[in-house]
Amino acid sequence: MLVRVLGSAAGGGFPQWNCNCTNCAGVRAGQLRARPRTQSSIAVSDDGAGWVLFNASPDIRIQIESFPPLRPSRKIRDTGIAAIILVDSQIDHATGLLLLREGAPLRVYCSDMVYQDLTTGFPVLKILENYCGVERHRVGIEGEDSIFSVPETPNLQFKAVALDSKAPPYSPHRYDPHPGDTIGVCVEDSRSGKSLFYAPALGKVDSRVLELMAQADCLLVDGTFWQDDELAVQGISDKRALDMGHLPQWGPGGMIEVLRKVPKPRKVLIHINNTNPILREDSAERAILEREGIEVAFDGMEIVL
């Protein structure tokens, strides 16, 4: 299995267009050891030709241009994107669908809750019916309904699991959570037996999710915030990480503690907010992650399983 990190930042990217925090100001000025990042998305393939995209960020055009296998190469109008899996209905994970409107009907895999949001409160899928069209495939969250495949990647099997996170602010489920508002996805290669667990939004890790993480060979999981009150400490907002559906890395029960419980997989953090000090490659927080054997995803990162 081939995994390409197309974008590794949280919503807004890094630097964020309207942010003058230490991280954003420093990277703009070239004064930090940090890489700019686009908004989070990955692509997976079993042969390097057909690719399954996870989420479609507002930065999808530049992400496609930066990765030749996704560009047109076989005929005048073409793409290497075989399908798109949406793990939630967040704006930074679904807006990019609109930028793909010029092509053939989009093959979109999503849960019922995500489909509901994207045909009502943020009706991206309805809008696209008047352009390229959408071929929607239902993703279940229990039993056999949660397991699916994509024809162009026959050696990969996908399994969805409902996660404890938050629906977007526009969704009626924001404060009335439903299973399937957010999913994680296990991807297994039938040839090698190797697997990836992808969950860029993860607010709580219960025993069920921990077991899936422990079985995987590689984790790409929520790295949004370093600490729960990160935004408040920097004078940006009074919103807390956990209230937004993101498990912070630091502190009791945080992501670092969770990842200590799963020694097998390669551990990589993705969906990193512009305020997070782990973006700085020489920060004390990055050094803590390195001692824990935890990596920080970057745009263009490639993983082979």
Side-chain angles (χ1 to χ4, degrees):
M1 181 189 341
L2 307 174
V3 183
R4 171 81 175 200
V5 175
L6 300 174
S8 53
F14 176 60
Q16 183 171 302
W17 67 277
N18 68 336
C19 187
N20 197 35
C21 71
T22 301
N23 280 353
C24 290
V27 76
R28 284 193 190 99
Q31 297 172 348
L32 292 185
R33 283 186 56 193
R35 308 182 190 206
R37 286 166 161 83
T38 59
Q39 295 168 88
S40 76
S41 175
I42 68 168
V44 301
S45 177
D46 61 355
D47 63 1
W51 291 81
V52 177
L53 192 69
F54 280 82
N55 302 323
S57 89
D59 300 314
I60 185 63
R61 182 185 177 280
I62 192 171
Q63 291 169 348
I64 290 172
E65 288 301 314
S66 69
F67 189 43
L70 298 186
R71 299 179 199 160
S73 60
R74 291 156 288 270
K75 51 188 178 181
I76 293 177
R77 291 290 176 93
D78 178 47
T79 178
I81 299 172
I84 303 164
I85 298 173
L86 301 176
V87 302
D88 55 38
S89 54
Q90 299 286 348
I91 286 176
D92 55 315
H93 285 161
T95 303
L97 294 171
L98 295 171
L99 304 181
L100 304 177
R101 67 189 182 276
E102 293 90 356
L106 300 178
R107 186 184 297 160
V108 175
Y109 292 75
C110 64
S111 71
D112 288 340
M113 295 301 101
V114 169
Y115 184 73
Q116 182 184 106
D117 281 345
L118 296 182
T119 53
T120 56
F122 182 40
V124 173
L125 300 183
K126 287 289 187 183
I127 292 171
L128 288 171
E129 289 177 2
N130 298 288
Y131 293 88
C132 59
V134 175
E135 180 186 310
R136 186 255 172 156
H137 295 258
R138 180 179 181 272
V139 173
I141 54 174
E142 292 183 2
E144 293 184 359
D145 285 348
S146 67
I147 300 171
F148 61 98
S149 60
V150 174
E152 289 83 353
T153 57
N155 298 300
L156 301 183
Q157 183 181 79
F158 302 85
K159 177 179 174 60
V161 58
L163 299 180
D164 187 336
S165 188
K166 289 283 188 180
Y170 72 82
S171 172
H173 301 163
R174 179 70 169 184
Y175 301 105
D176 178 25
H178 287 57
D181 288 334
T182 304
I183 62 170
V185 181
C186 298
V187 189
E188 182 174 351
D189 190 312
S190 61
R191 299 162 302 181
S192 66
K194 300 291 186 180
S195 62
L196 168 77
F197 180 71
Y198 180 63
L202 187 53
K204 181 181 179 181
V205 179
D206 57 23
S207 59
R208 172 183 53 98
V209 174
L210 188 65
E211 182 178 357
L212 289 172
M213 293 171 67
Q215 294 170 352
D217 293 284
C218 182
L219 306 176
L220 269 169
V221 293
D222 193 335
T224 312
F225 296 109
W226 175 256
Q227 61 192 65
D228 190 37
D229 60 351
E230 184 172 307
L231 297 179
V233 167
Q234 299 192 36
I236 294 172
S237 169
D238 60 0
K239 294 180 180 178
R240 304 183 78 90
L242 289 169
D243 293 338
M244 299 168 67
H246 297 289
L247 186 65
Q249 286 106 58
W250 187 249
M255 188 63 78
I256 292 175
E257 287 193 1
V258 169
L259 294 179
R260 286 176 184 157
K261 300 176 184 178
V262 288
K264 174 188 172 183
R266 179 179 177 182
K267 305 159 189 176
V268 186
L269 299 179
I270 196 168
H271 193 270
I272 304 153
N273 199 58
N274 64 86
T275 55
N276 195 327
I278 67 173
L279 289 168
R280 302 196 301 270
E281 297 172 12
D282 55 358
S283 67
E285 292 82 1
R286 178 69 79 93
I288 291 172
L289 293 184
E290 291 173 353
R291 289 195 294 271
E292 296 283 345
I294 301 171
E295 301 174 59
V296 178
F298 56 88
D299 292 21
M301 184 180 197
E302 295 187 343
I303 299 169
V304 180
L305 296 170

